[in-house]
Amino acid sequence: YIFKAGEHELNSTTLIKRKEVIFKPGVKLCLNNGATLFISDSNIAFESNNSTGVVVSACEADSGSFVIQDSSVKIQDLSLQRLKSPKEHLRILYGGMNIISSDVVIGRLKILSSESEDAINFVNSDITGDNIYVEGSFSDAIDSDDSNIKLKSITCKDIGNDCLDLSYSN
């Protein structure tokens, strides 16, 4: 499953399962109509060409969530903008992006204007890498539950609560 460079819209909740998912440099994915992108049991790559990465944003009010579960994730350069918590029946997730039971390698992750309780929420995951930058989160920037995190730098600006909230995480 390849997202090629250019503008893409997701107008309904979508599940991608057991796939190789590649977001090419220059992808701009717009989440509309309360859409959530769920990716599970997959190998996922957010690619960069050193000048252009991938942008995922909520493009209208009350829209846009991202959930990754049971996957291997490589983020070279990813920007998340205005994401909200998903509205999922019988399951509560608090992040605009939620990464659950996954292995994550981060080059550069930038989160702007988060509209969820947590800009990003790691649950039972292993995260290594370089840089997470969060600006404009009304509550927590990074929330981690039962995860292992090893990052070179975390930068938070204009955060309403915790920059880094660790619950049973290393």
Side-chain angles (χ1 to χ4, degrees):
Y1 204 101
I2 297 176
F3 288 88
K4 294 182 181 178
E7 305 268 337
H8 302 268
E9 286 193 20
L10 189 62
N11 294 307
S12 61
T13 295
T14 301
L15 171 64
I16 299 172
K17 192 169 185 174
R18 292 188 195 98
K19 302 280 183 191
E20 186 85 18
V21 183
I22 300 170
F23 293 83
K24 292 292 190 181
V27 165
K28 292 182 181 177
L29 178 60
C30 183
L31 303 173
N32 293 314
N33 299 322
T36 297
L37 177 57
F38 287 95
I39 302 176
S40 71
D41 302 299
S42 297
N43 292 315
I44 306 161
F46 297 90
E47 296 182 346
S48 170
N49 62 12
N50 295 325
S51 65
T52 305
V54 174
V55 176
V56 177
S57 61
C59 294
E60 57 185 32
D62 203 33
S63 282
S65 304
F66 203 157
V67 179
I68 294 173
Q69 187 165 346
D70 299 317
S71 295
S72 175
V73 185
K74 289 187 174 57
I75 298 171
Q76 289 180 335
D77 188 351
L78 173 61
S79 178
L80 305 173
Q81 301 171 0
R82 298 179 307 280
L83 296 185
K84 293 184 174 272
S85 301
K87 294 178 176 107
E88 189 177 351
H89 187 64
L90 299 177
R91 186 175 189 193
I92 298 172
L93 297 170
Y94 295 103
M97 176 177 246
N98 297 274
I99 298 180
I100 305 160
S101 300
S102 296
D103 293 317
V104 183
V105 177
I106 297 171
R108 181 175 166 266
L109 174 60
K110 184 176 184 179
I111 305 170
L112 302 172
S113 303
S114 173
E115 297 182 14
S116 56
E117 185 172 322
D118 305 322
I120 189 163
N121 188 15
F122 298 112
V123 180
N124 194 34
S125 294
D126 291 312
I127 301 95
T128 59
D130 292 332
N131 178 269
I132 297 179
Y133 175 92
V134 184
E135 184 174 344
S137 178
F138 85 91
S139 190
D140 294 344
I142 303 165
D143 189 284
S144 177
D145 303 307
D146 296 310
S147 295
N148 296 304
I149 299 177
K150 187 174 183 179
L151 295 168
K152 291 181 182 172
S153 76
I154 296 171
T155 304
C156 295
K157 292 184 178 180
D158 192 24
I159 306 301
N161 199 19
D162 300 326
C163 173
L164 178 61
D165 183 353
L166 301 171
S167 299
Y168 305 103
S169 291
N170 297 310

